[in-house]
Amino acid sequence: MNLVNFQDSRPIYEQIVENFKIQILKGVLQDGDQMPSVRSLAVELSANPNTIQKAYIELERQGYIYTVKGKGNFVRADQSLKEAKKNQIIADIKALMEEAFDIGFTKEEILEKIVDGGKAHD
């Protein structure tokens, strides 16, 4: 499981949260799947168990997992999570578009940069 990139400047728990969210949204982790135990994931990632626990608390706060006392943590993958993420992405894109328009980009320039990957033309 490749959840952490030690070259990444973000805190480890944030990387774990983001990577599990992606796996849940992609359907790699299904509704009701059991998450790895805090201890086993800490050993696998060579991370402090408190870091893993912090990530799991954040995932639960955001609605991606739930805890069953004495059983562990489980995936809560419902369509509303995916829709909320899509809506957030659209809101982020709109905000970036507004910023681009504010500094003089046209819609056509933005689309051209996106479509050609921002490559310089000869």
mmCIF file of all heavy atoms in Angstrom, residues 6 9 27 59 67 92:
data_model
loop_
_atom_site.group_PDB
_atom_site.id
_atom_site.type_symbol
_atom_site.label_atom_id
_atom_site.label_comp_id
_atom_site.label_asym_id
_atom_site.label_seq_id
_atom_site.Cartn_x
_atom_site.Cartn_y
_atom_site.Cartn_z
ATOM 1 N N PHE A 6 7.620 10.121 1.443
ATOM 2 C CA PHE A 6 8.434 10.837 2.415
ATOM 3 C C PHE A 6 9.125 12.059 1.812
ATOM 4 O O PHE A 6 9.679 12.871 2.540
ATOM 5 C CB PHE A 6 9.431 9.884 3.087
ATOM 6 C CG PHE A 6 8.745 8.891 3.977
ATOM 7 C CD1 PHE A 6 8.537 7.584 3.551
ATOM 8 C CD2 PHE A 6 8.271 9.261 5.222
ATOM 9 C CE1 PHE A 6 7.884 6.661 4.361
ATOM 10 C CE2 PHE A 6 7.610 8.355 6.044
ATOM 11 C CZ PHE A 6 7.415 7.051 5.608
ATOM 12 N N SER A 9 6.128 17.298 1.250
ATOM 13 C CA SER A 9 6.264 18.187 2.404
ATOM 14 C C SER A 9 5.040 18.180 3.326
ATOM 15 O O SER A 9 5.114 18.678 4.442
ATOM 16 C CB SER A 9 6.527 19.617 1.926
ATOM 17 O OG SER A 9 5.424 20.089 1.174
ATOM 18 N N GLY A 27 -13.459 3.593 -5.671
ATOM 19 C CA GLY A 27 -14.094 2.292 -5.510
ATOM 20 C C GLY A 27 -13.122 1.171 -5.215
ATOM 21 O O GLY A 27 -13.512 0.004 -5.179
ATOM 22 N N LEU A 59 -10.544 11.026 8.764
ATOM 23 C CA LEU A 59 -11.386 10.327 7.787
ATOM 24 C C LEU A 59 -12.800 10.127 8.338
ATOM 25 O O LEU A 59 -13.784 10.275 7.606
ATOM 26 C CB LEU A 59 -10.770 8.973 7.413
ATOM 27 C CG LEU A 59 -9.572 9.033 6.476
ATOM 28 C CD1 LEU A 59 -8.820 7.709 6.484
ATOM 29 C CD2 LEU A 59 -10.024 9.391 5.057
ATOM 30 N N THR A 67 -16.350 3.889 12.941
ATOM 31 C CA THR A 67 -15.732 2.981 13.899
ATOM 32 C C THR A 67 -16.793 2.114 14.545
ATOM 33 O O THR A 67 -17.864 2.599 14.902
ATOM 34 C CB THR A 67 -14.992 3.780 14.998
ATOM 35 O OG1 THR A 67 -14.024 4.616 14.362
ATOM 36 C CG2 THR A 67 -14.295 2.864 15.981
ATOM 37 N N ASP A 92 -13.633 24.740 -6.902
ATOM 38 C CA ASP A 92 -12.221 25.117 -6.990
ATOM 39 C C ASP A 92 -11.873 25.604 -8.392
ATOM 40 O O ASP A 92 -11.159 26.599 -8.549
ATOM 41 C CB ASP A 92 -11.316 23.934 -6.614
ATOM 42 C CG ASP A 92 -11.397 23.551 -5.137
ATOM 43 O OD1 ASP A 92 -11.963 24.321 -4.333
ATOM 44 O OD2 ASP A 92 -10.896 22.455 -4.807
#
